[in-house]
Amino acid sequence: MQYDTGEADYRKAGIERLTESLILYEGEKFAGCVYLGGRAVESMLRAVIWKHDSEIKSGKTALETGHDLRRLLTRVCALGVLKRPDHREELATNIQRVARVWFNNMRFMPTSRMEKAWWKLGEVGKRRSLKYAVRNFYENCSVIVKRCETLCE
């Protein structure tokens, strides 16, 4: 089944995924929380692109970024919608933090494996619990979603 997704669907889905991410965090289902938080970010970046890129909106150009948050950020920045340098820097910083530890295939990853991967990346350690690291991840995602929501208004 083919479904044409546009700005409104991406926005609504992004907000829903972030809400679901928090529910999973509160239930200590950390891999699911992280996966859905990353999907929320991806969805909101796509919403911004669909809102402001007439080539994408008209179907003249395809949005071929895969699930690469950094490539999506590049597209958003190229649109010129981030007028204030501090907003651009805030968005870029948070996306770099999220993209460093998130990838689309996390949907297949159990929490124990994610914790090991984050240990290797230095996100989790003797002084930083998985719960704390996931909370920081969720907060980064929340900042991104809010900024993108503002850009879509």
Side-chain angles (χ1 to χ4, degrees):
M1 181 172 109
Q2 183 91 14
Y3 178 72
D4 293 328
T5 306
E7 178 225 339
D9 290 324
Y10 281 122
R11 281 176 77 181
K12 186 173 182 179
I15 292 165
E16 286 179 7
R17 294 304 80 81
L18 188 66
T19 300
E20 294 160 356
S21 177
L22 181 58
I23 291 167
L24 290 173
Y25 173 79
E26 290 169 346
E28 297 193 2
K29 306 296 183 193
F30 298 130
C33 167
V34 169
Y35 174 67
L36 289 180
R39 290 307 298 235
V41 168
E42 178 184 357
S43 191
M44 292 304 288
L45 290 168
R46 288 176 178 276
V48 172
I49 293 166
W50 273 86
K51 170 85 176 181
H52 297 284
D53 189 323
S54 59
E55 297 281 313
I56 296 291
K57 204 183 305 190
S58 69
K60 291 179 184 175
T61 305
L63 184 53
E64 296 182 17
T65 57
H67 304 284
D68 188 328
L69 302 179
R70 291 177 180 110
R71 287 181 65 196
L72 288 164
L73 173 63
T74 299
R75 292 289 296 264
V76 168
C77 289
L79 293 169
V81 296
L82 289 159
K83 304 288 185 210
R84 292 180 44 183
D86 58 324
H87 290 174
R88 196 169 36 256
E89 181 64 32
E90 173 196 56
L91 188 63
T93 298
N94 282 295
I95 287 177
Q96 293 300 332
R97 288 178 183 153
V98 169
R100 181 175 175 270
V101 296
W102 181 87
F103 52 95
N104 187 50
N105 281 344
M106 288 186 90
R107 64 186 185 262
F108 305 120
M109 189 177 278
T111 296
S112 59
R113 181 141 182 253
M114 185 191 82
E115 185 173 18
K116 288 176 188 173
W118 280 26
W119 179 277
K120 289 179 183 176
L121 291 169
E123 288 294 311
V124 177
K126 292 180 181 176
R127 294 194 172 130
R128 185 173 159 103
S129 69
L130 179 62
K131 185 173 186 172
Y132 182 80
V134 171
R135 182 64 191 195
N136 286 160
F137 177 88
Y138 173 81
E139 289 166 355
N140 292 141
C141 292
S142 294
V143 169
I144 296 165
V145 167
K146 288 175 187 165
R147 174 65 55 215
C148 289
E149 182 65 17
T150 300
L151 293 171
C152 286
E153 292 176 345

